[in-house]
Amino acid sequence: MPAPLSHIETSHELPRSADVVVIGGGIVGAFAAYYLTLRGLSVALVEKGRIGAEQSSRNWGWCRQQNRDARELPMATRSLDLWERFGAESGESTGFSRCGLLYLSNDEAELAGWARWRDFARTVGVTTHMLDGAAATQRGAATGRAWKGGVFSPSDGTADPSRAAPAVARALLGRGSTVHQMCAARGLETEGGRVSAVVTERGTIRTRIAILAGGAWSSSFCHQIGIRLPLASIRSSILSVSGGAKGLPDALHTSAVSVTKRGDGGYTLAISGRGRVDPTPQQLRFAPQFLPMFLRRWRSLLPGGLEGVRSGHETLRRWPLGVPTPMERVRVLDPTPDRNAIELTHRRALELLPALKDTRITAAWGGYIDSTPDGVPVIGEASGLSGLILAAGFSGHGFGIGPGAGHLIADIATGAVPIVDPGPYGPDRFAGLAVGKVSDF
């Protein structure tokens, strides 16, 4: 039972050249291609599988400012405006709505952490409301429980992961750029220390700018061209249930389970931060840089199995450009969901929200979340190779900040004034064994 995903028809003929080639058809790559297209550039978006088929359709769908790390908050704020603007200017629907996000807790330390974030958010003009026990219990009436407190962030919202990336791809198709599914990018050609072409399984596209937005595949792709990009993936497990439950919040987070209303009227259920670590050669290579992250979050992580090795997305092998690659063998990362996690998530959701007992499980899926050592994405030109812009390691936050990230990438590619300060996202911050401050949220 895979994650739901809208299908789109895409371009048949591969262009011989393009101003920009975007590698990876997730939400970040699609928005980057869209904003570049709006600026009058010819763009080819190439995707080894289907548009949005990996983590961009396997997430909760939250588009939030609440509890963002200070480095990501400006991009999150701009992204909310861009989600709204995209629907108005394109005529496409991503299912975006500022429905507000509700957080409930009975843990004093957790509530204190949210209050500290509220105080910080005020300094940058972000509104969030701390709830006392009475207000939290009232807003969380569907749980039938008393709560010590909570947070409500009214300007935050959700979009529909099953249709967002395809909607953006349709929009750029309608404006003259091309989208190529089932078309893996095998590597790059260079001239004089600069990108000169992207080599795909269907042929070569001449270009001077390539954007790598390959999600969990990005580090192994960089390895082929001698660029060190420390990423590690966590296997998460999520399920959805049918509609029929009445009176539930559109988006609710508790430490036990989080629940999000879907566009079809059903709900997505997940446990925040929980996942399995499937060991791979790439993870072992970058283990020293990920140690601080692991020490911060080890309580939520469990050892995994050989899923990661079998999929090949974190290989250290090199491949020639003229033969099929691991990306063509595994078109879509579709890892086995953790059965124990699915059962635990469903049980907790039924305990938290009794109305869900009137629903049935409709799907369960796994997904690989690509993370950087500090939990903040990499966005910027690669050192030593002009024309290659990296956009990876979104650490589970990429869907919500996808529009802002895509806009920033387009700004970097065209030399425009950046929509947000690109400094916190620079690839050079991981030079050597540097880690940086691990994200608070």
Side-chain angles (χ1 to χ4, degrees):
M1 296 183 289
L5 179 64
S6 299
H7 178 72
I8 64 168
E9 296 295 331
T10 52
S11 312
H12 297 293
E13 186 174 346
L14 196 74
R16 293 185 177 182
S17 65
D19 293 327
V20 183
V21 177
V22 179
I23 301 168
I27 195 70
V28 172
F31 266 118
Y34 173 74
Y35 288 119
L36 288 163
T37 299
L38 289 186
R39 299 180 194 200
L41 278 68
S42 62
V43 183
L45 175 61
V46 297
E47 164 57 45
K48 61 182 176 49
R50 291 176 60 192
I51 295 296
E54 294 190 342
Q55 201 54 31
S56 291
S57 61
R58 295 165 187 262
N59 60 84
W60 303 6
W62 283 32
C63 306
R64 64 178 172 89
Q65 300 168 101
Q66 178 67 37
N67 289 344
R68 285 285 186 203
D69 185 271
R71 292 162 288 185
E72 279 189 0
L73 183 56
M75 184 177 290
T77 300
R78 298 303 300 270
S79 291
L80 287 167
D81 294 336
L82 293 172
W83 277 110
E84 284 186 322
R85 190 187 307 172
F86 171 77
E89 70 188 10
S90 71
E92 296 284 349
S93 175
T94 62
F96 175 73
S97 170
R98 289 188 187 253
C99 58
L101 306 181
L102 176 62
Y103 294 65
L104 299 174
S105 180
N106 283 320
D107 184 276
E108 295 287 359
E110 187 172 40
L111 291 169
W114 294 346
R116 287 193 299 272
W117 190 88
R118 182 270 317 273
D119 294 341
F120 152 71
R122 284 174 174 168
T123 68
V124 292
V126 175
T127 300
T128 186
H129 301 303
M130 289 297 300
L131 307 176
D132 62 16
T137 299
Q138 181 181 20
R139 281 195 175 271
T143 68
R145 301 181 184 184
W147 297 91
K148 289 185 177 180
V151 172
F152 183 67
S153 51
S155 60
D156 290 350
T158 63
D160 187 345
S162 71
R163 52 181 165 143
V168 180
R170 274 195 302 270
L172 67 96
L173 275 169
R175 285 160 173 77
S177 286
T178 60
V179 179
H180 308 274
Q181 297 180 105
M182 307 302 287
C183 181
R186 293 177 173 175
L188 305 177
E189 291 181 355
T190 63
E191 292 178 1
R194 183 179 183 90
V195 170
S196 60
V198 173
V199 180
T200 80
E201 62 179 291
R202 295 187 186 176
T204 299
I205 308 172
R206 309 302 301 180
T207 188
R208 289 179 60 79
I209 300 175
I211 294 165
L212 177 60
W217 298 87
S218 297
S219 184
S220 62
F221 188 96
C222 283
H223 183 64
Q224 308 305 308
I225 51 179
I227 293 175
R228 186 179 185 278
L229 176 61
L231 297 181
S233 296
I234 303 300
R235 175 163 51 100
S236 65
S237 298
I238 298 180
L239 71 148
S240 63
V241 296
S242 61
K246 304 296 184 181
L248 305 190
D250 286 340
L252 170 63
H253 166 78
T254 70
S255 60
V257 67
S258 296
V259 181
T260 312
K261 190 172 184 179
R262 301 179 61 85
D264 61 6
Y267 290 85
T268 297
L269 314 178
I271 299 175
S272 179
R274 187 180 180 91
R276 289 197 176 268
V277 181
D278 295 330
T280 65
Q282 181 176 297
Q283 286 198 2
L284 295 176
R285 179 191 184 195
F286 297 132
Q289 284 180 279
F290 278 91
L291 184 58
M293 172 77 77
F294 178 78
L295 292 175
R296 174 76 67 88
R297 300 179 181 174
W298 66 270
R299 291 180 180 86
S300 300
L301 301 176
L302 298 171
L306 297 178
E307 288 271 346
V309 172
R310 285 194 290 265
S311 68
H313 66 290
E314 292 188 343
T315 182
L316 293 181
R317 295 180 180 177
R318 295 182 183 269
W319 55 73
L321 299 182
V323 300
T325 68
M327 296 173 290
E328 292 151 76
R329 180 175 60 84
V330 180
R331 294 284 179 181
V332 174
L333 282 176
D334 188 25
T336 304
D338 179 350
R339 182 178 296 277
N340 290 334
I342 295 297
E343 293 175 354
L344 177 63
T345 303
H346 191 228
R347 183 167 66 250
R348 287 183 178 183
L350 296 183
E351 292 171 355
L352 180 70
L353 298 166
L356 288 175
K357 293 179 181 177
D358 296 328
T359 68
R360 58 181 176 80
I361 295 176
T362 55
W365 61 87
Y368 279 114
I369 298 172
D370 55 306
S371 178
T372 60
D374 62 5
V376 175
V378 164
I379 304 174
E381 190 169 46
S383 296
L385 183 55
S386 296
L388 174 61
I389 298 172
L390 305 178
F394 282 81
S395 307
H397 306 160
F399 184 81
I401 64 174
H407 199 296
L408 177 59
I409 293 162
D411 295 338
I412 294 170
T414 59
V417 175
I419 190 172
V420 296
D421 178 12
Y425 311 111
D428 291 344
R429 71 184 192 274
F430 297 126
L433 294 178
V435 175
K437 180 182 179 294
V438 176
S439 173
D440 290 324
F441 297 99

